[in-house]
Amino acid sequence: MITVEICTPSRQSAEAAKAGGAQRVELCRDLEVGGLTPSAEDIEYCVRTLGLRTHVLVRPRPGDFCYSEAEVAEIERTVMQCKALGAHAVVVGFLTADGRVDVALTRRIAQLAAPMEVTFHRAFDEARQDPLEALQAVVDSGCTRLLTSGQAPTAPEGAAVIRRLVEHAALLTSQNPQSHIHSSTFTILAGAGITPANVRQLIDATGVDEVHGSCKTTLADGTLQTDAAQVRQLIANTLSL
């Protein structure tokens, strides 16, 4: 069974995702700049009114993923707020000044977020590291999931690398079964450029159990919003043989 996560940049988008059959969303705002932290009101609405499994993007500004201490303090406050509001996971990503996965900061945030799940987002795809080395860093940080396009512009383009990541994550599990990393808690989540038309081929090519799509449409004012019909078709196509 494939889990589908829909990236929703507003409560209206979350409503559309639910109408399309989604059970899990990555909630954010300002998708036009790659997504930023949503409002507390929207988090609460998704969790308590819509009853969706809500993963919250925690990203205080556009740009790179190397943050000042003041920004880290803001991130920590947001993580605690997400926990208080009943969010199921936070989605974060941190790189060092030289472009490597920031293990120390990621671990600090993951420990603060517990017992929520923690997804390391596509900052991974900008890391100046071998993908398997970067995956090990994410694992060592205590995250439960990696959202990635395989260090390519889109997941279909990065399918070969995503498959390597899936296989390596499974290898890490088998080599260290006593680790906190095991099949039920660490997942490679493929995302970027996934559509109803290519989702089944991507699943078959990579072996992933989870996919992430925005299923977005552009409104007259230029705003990006989730389209319920696309969500419905995406979910249906993950089931196709």
Side-chain angles (χ1 to χ4, degrees), residues 47-197:
V47 172
R48 298 180 182 171
T49 301
L50 296 182
L52 289 167
R53 185 167 184 84
T54 304
H55 294 198
V56 180
L57 178 64
V58 180
R59 185 182 180 216
R61 57 158 173 79
D64 64 32
F65 303 102
C66 185
Y67 295 104
S68 68
E69 275 303 314
E71 289 169 332
V72 170
E74 180 183 349
I75 289 166
E76 290 176 325
R77 288 191 296 270
T78 301
V79 167
M80 294 303 293
Q81 182 180 61
C82 289
K83 190 185 298 190
L85 291 171
H88 300 85
V90 291
V91 183
V92 298
F94 308 109
L95 301 179
T96 60
D98 62 351
R100 302 173 69 83
V101 171
D102 190 332
V103 175
L105 178 55
T106 307
R107 183 181 293 127
R108 173 176 159 185
I109 298 302
Q111 290 173 345
L112 182 68
M116 290 188 297
E117 296 180 3
V118 178
T119 297
F120 194 99
H121 62 48
R122 290 189 60 224
F124 176 91
D125 296 320
E126 297 187 21
R128 295 195 291 272
Q129 282 176 277
D130 173 82
L132 299 189
E133 179 186 18
L135 171 62
Q136 183 69 62
V138 172
V139 167
D140 290 343
S141 300
C143 294
T144 48
R145 182 178 291 100
L146 170 64
L147 169 62
T148 180
S149 62
Q151 296 188 338
T154 68
E157 292 172 273
V161 172
I162 294 172
R163 174 165 281 281
R164 288 177 63 206
L165 293 168
V166 169
E167 292 172 348
H168 194 63
L171 182 62
L172 291 175
T173 300
S174 65
Q175 289 177 340
N176 188 9
Q178 301 306 312
S179 167
H180 72 285
I181 313 304
H182 53 84
S183 59
S184 65
T185 59
F186 190 84
T187 306
I188 303 298
L189 169 63
I194 296 178
T195 67

